[in-house]
Amino acid sequence: MSRNRERVIEAVESCFSENEKTSPEDMLFSYKGILYPTAFSSPETLEALKSLEIRSDDVILAGYPKTGTNWLEEMVRELESADAKYTEEEMKERINAEKEQQMFPRLEFGDPGIYERMKKLPSRRIISTHLHPHLLPFSILQGKAKVLVLLRNPKDTAVSYYHFYNNMPVLPSFASWDEYFAAFMNGKLAWGSYFDQLVEWNQYIDHEKIMMISYEELKENPILGMKKIAAFFEFSLDEEDFHRIAKKTSFQAMKEKSKETHGKFGDILFRKGIVGSWRDLFSKAQNEEMDRKFEDSIGRTKLAAKIKYNVYCKA
Ligand code: A3P
């Protein structure tokens, strides 16, 4: 079992059972105007996050929910391990350290004491988050560590999040796609507005320690995508490593192993894994509304060019 996995399964499964008792209105809390799942985080934890000491070799992965975070994280863990050439013993020690420190799969999850415990993790730490940049410790954005930001076109992200919301017992369900669509457009979902988050990330698009990569480019050419990631983090791998990791992290391969790697959560997470599934749900009016919103919020930015809206989102 790979690093951090047992903890992921444990954390998610305990939330499944605990949340059977939570009423929908208590499933989310608001912190500085943005919603978060009560089962995984708290205002105290988000406050305590300011105290996190970033290391220059931390590997930070960021992105809005449902942009493919679990996939990217798996790729990056594999790339990092191949570069570090950990022995089996070292690998075990790393897994144990994450277990002992009771780590969670996202930076913003857990109890407020988690940031103190993170000091005990060996380098290189791989840290994933869905938070808006302004909520991250300031030293990250000042360039103390490298950040890889994952982007995904808004229509597929919205559809993926819709199914996730309705299947995750820790999030309040929506009665219909139309009701959910309005919430997505208004940022009334956990982790807030997709659009606001991108407007913020766009300010960092030329930052030398921040790189953006899209779900769609990783789908189109995973090996090329991984080579860009490896170059950014200065990981050195053989050609065959890239091919091995591409095979191991394909949607099919990850889905097949998901019971073991993600427990019950696997069935919810590994849904379709394709580009363009938004076409099943968007009405003509919703397409037009999304096109307008994208254009008005980030349409003319460099980050929008990276998302290739006209290629992936035009009806
Ligand atoms: P869909 O719901 O469109 O299928 P996140 O990890 O940020 O929660 O994102 C989940 C999305 O990434 C889901 O999209 C999921 O199927 C997709 N995904 C997970 N693993 C993948 C992989 N190995 N290859 C491609 N897509 C993957």
Side-chain angles (χ1 to χ4, degrees):
M1 191 165 287
S2 68
R3 282 154 61 176
N4 208 13
R5 278 295 176 234
E6 287 176 31
R7 184 73 199 140
V8 175
I9 297 177
E10 233 173 75
V12 171
E13 295 204 337
S14 78
C15 289
F16 270 91
S17 51
E18 274 169 33
N19 252 62
E20 276 161 16
K21 303 163 221 147
T22 312
S23 62
E25 50 285 5
D26 292 332
M27 286 182 174
L28 298 172
F29 69 91
S30 176
Y31 177 78
K32 299 194 172 167
I34 299 180
L35 299 170
Y36 300 93
T38 314
F40 296 129
S41 189
S42 68
E44 293 73 27
T45 296
L46 294 173
E47 233 1 82
L49 174 56
K50 291 180 193 139
S51 69
L52 171 68
E53 285 174 19
I54 293 295
R55 299 178 191 158
S56 57
D57 62 0
D58 281 339
V59 170
I60 319 270
L61 309 177
Y64 192 76
K66 313 319 292 173
T67 49
T69 329
N70 286 275
W71 180 27
L72 181 74
E73 188 176 328
E74 195 59 25
M75 272 183 174
V76 173
R77 282 186 183 281
E78 290 288 340
L79 294 170
E80 196 272 336
S81 301
D83 172 62
K85 298 190 172 50
Y86 297 120
T87 61
E88 213 169 295
E89 198 48 41
E90 284 167 335
M91 205 58 185
K92 260 192 216 151
E93 278 168 25
R94 298 179 72 80
I95 295 170
N96 281 341
E98 287 182 346
K99 263 202 250 171
E100 270 166 31
Q101 302 316 319
Q102 304 187 318
M103 297 314 298
F104 283 84
R106 297 288 168 267
L107 177 61
E108 55 272 32
F109 289 176
D111 56 283
I114 197 134
Y115 307 110
E116 192 56 34
R117 302 202 297 277
M118 278 178 75
K119 288 183 184 164
K120 300 199 183 112
L121 292 180
S123 289
R124 288 174 289 219
R125 301 180 301 187
I126 295 174
I127 298 174
S128 297
T129 179
H130 296 310
L131 290 174
H132 283 45
H134 73 272
L135 289 168
L136 294 174
F138 194 52
S139 58
I140 294 183
L141 301 171
Q142 279 180 318
K144 176 113 196 238
K146 288 187 180 168
V147 185
L148 178 61
V149 182
L150 183 60
L151 311 168
R152 189 179 189 186
N153 79 70
K155 292 185 179 174
D156 281 334
T157 305
V159 168
S160 182
Y161 210 5
Y162 170 61
H163 292 291
F164 190 75
Y165 238 84
N166 278 1
N167 288 322
M168 273 294 272
V170 300
L171 293 172
S173 297
F174 283 91
S176 67
W177 158 253
D178 289 350
E179 193 189 298
Y180 163 85
F181 180 78
F184 183 88
M185 297 306 277
N186 295 316
K188 300 277 183 252
L189 296 175
W191 286 279
S193 163
Y194 167 96
F195 303 97
D196 290 353
Q197 189 166 121
L198 290 196
V199 168
E200 256 195 72
W201 276 125
N202 184 57
Q203 295 168 26
Y204 300 95
I205 194 137
D206 294 321
H207 194 301
E208 59 175 340
K209 292 218 168 158
I210 299 183
M211 183 174 102
M212 320 256 165
I213 197 150
S214 74
Y215 179 93
E216 293 78 10
E217 73 182 288
L218 287 172
K219 269 305 274 192
E220 239 162 63
N221 193 337
I223 294 199
L224 184 61
M226 284 193 291
K227 285 183 175 171
K228 286 185 194 169
I229 296 172
F232 175 62
F233 286 117
E234 296 170 75
F235 297 156
S236 163
L237 284 87
D238 297 335
E239 189 64 27
E240 67 191 59
D241 285 329
F242 288 110
H243 287 268
R244 175 182 57 77
I245 298 171
K247 214 166 150 197
K248 197 168 172 188
T249 58
S250 74
F251 180 75
Q252 220 42 49
M254 285 185 73
K255 191 178 169 69
E256 269 163 29
K257 279 196 86 181
S258 70
K259 272 273 168 298
E260 184 192 326
T261 55
H262 292 77
K264 276 190 205 168
F265 182 55
D267 289 339
I268 299 173
L269 179 66
F270 299 97
R271 196 184 63 91
K272 285 200 163 177
I274 58 166
V275 177
S277 78
W278 60 268
R279 289 172 201 280
D280 304 338
L281 282 173
F282 272 70
S283 69
K284 186 165 179 291
Q286 288 166 343
N287 267 321
E288 287 167 5
E289 191 180 335
M290 179 72 91
D291 294 352
R292 269 195 312 276
K293 176 89 179 176
F294 190 82
E295 183 59 24
D296 293 348
S297 55
I298 39 176
R300 278 150 229 227
T301 61
K302 279 192 184 174
L303 188 141
K306 206 125 184 78
I307 289 178
K308 294 192 180 163
Y309 191 89
N310 285 339
V311 176
Y312 298 114
C313 286
K314 285 290 173 176

